[in-house]
Amino acid sequence: MSAKPYGPLVQNGWVVKDIDAAIKYWTETWAVGPFFKFPKIVWETGFYRGKDMIPDYDAAVAYNGEFMVELIKPNGPSIFQEALDSGNVGVQHMCAMTDDLAAATAYIEKRGGVAIQGGTFADGSALTYFDMGGRGDSHILEIAQLLEGPQQLFAAIKAAAASWDGKTPVMTL
């Protein structure tokens, strides 16, 4: 078997109804934080279920050690809205990073994964979400190919978590 062209799982993505309530829960109950809310996420290109479309959602992230928690509140058609509409609030996907999204896509599709949402950003970074053939429950894998800018952003968020005071639930960079 050949080595897979992406790294270990580094994130769980949670679909939530209220991002601020979710941040409060994660910081107060799980002691995970601080969270960083993203401004409007601007995609260059996007697709959803085979159609050109850019998903609209709000997101916030925090680290717990090496693991990232992403909170996603959908604002329209997307795999995130599908989860919310079906009552599946909670973990919606897992994420791994790659340096070669095309190779990762070929590898995943050879194993039955189907690309269901994704796109690119102005800096050339790209994401694809794959349905991994679940048995009626959610089995979605996100593969992210992030260039230097986003990598530096996530490194700064991880560093903030390492020195977090446990009191400030949301911070900005």
Side-chain angles (χ1 to χ4, degrees):
M1 180 191 254
S2 63
K4 65 183 178 181
Y6 55 90
L9 297 173
V10 295
Q11 175 210 80
N12 273 352
W14 295 72
V15 173
V16 299
K17 294 178 182 177
D18 179 327
I19 209 158
D20 293 317
I23 289 170
K24 180 177 173 54
Y25 170 75
W26 276 93
T27 56
E28 292 180 4
T29 304
W30 288 87
V32 171
F35 278 85
F36 292 80
K37 286 179 164 180
F38 288 110
K40 175 79 172 155
I41 297 170
V42 180
W43 294 69
E44 188 80 9
T45 66
F47 69 90
Y48 165 61
R49 300 266 180 213
K51 296 180 182 175
D52 289 342
M53 193 199 87
I54 294 176
D56 182 15
Y57 58 95
D58 298 322
V61 299
Y63 274 87
N64 183 358
E66 295 295 313
F67 201 76
M68 182 194 302
V69 173
E70 179 183 31
L71 306 174
I72 304 161
K73 189 223 167 270
N75 298 317
S78 67
I79 59 172
F80 313 127
Q81 188 67 52
E82 288 175 10
L84 194 62
D85 290 348
S86 68
N88 291 336
V89 176
V91 175
Q92 185 267 346
H93 70 268
M94 296 175 285
C95 178
M97 303 295 177
T98 186
D99 292 331
D100 186 344
L101 188 56
T105 296
Y107 180 90
I108 291 165
E109 287 176 343
K110 187 175 181 180
R111 284 154 181 77
V114 177
I116 54 176
Q117 181 171 290
T120 61
F121 299 93
D123 75 341
S125 294
L127 310 173
T128 301
Y129 296 84
F130 297 89
D131 180 336
M132 298 305 291
R135 301 167 306 272
D137 46 4
S138 178
H139 288 99
I140 295 176
L141 173 62
E142 174 189 7
I143 300 293
Q145 181 176 346
L146 303 180
L147 299 184
E148 186 176 344
Q151 287 180 17
Q152 290 175 350
L153 172 68
F154 288 123
I157 293 170
K158 187 187 297 184
S163 62
W164 184 44
D165 63 10
K167 298 175 186 168
T168 309
V170 178
M171 298 178 81
T172 57
L173 293 174

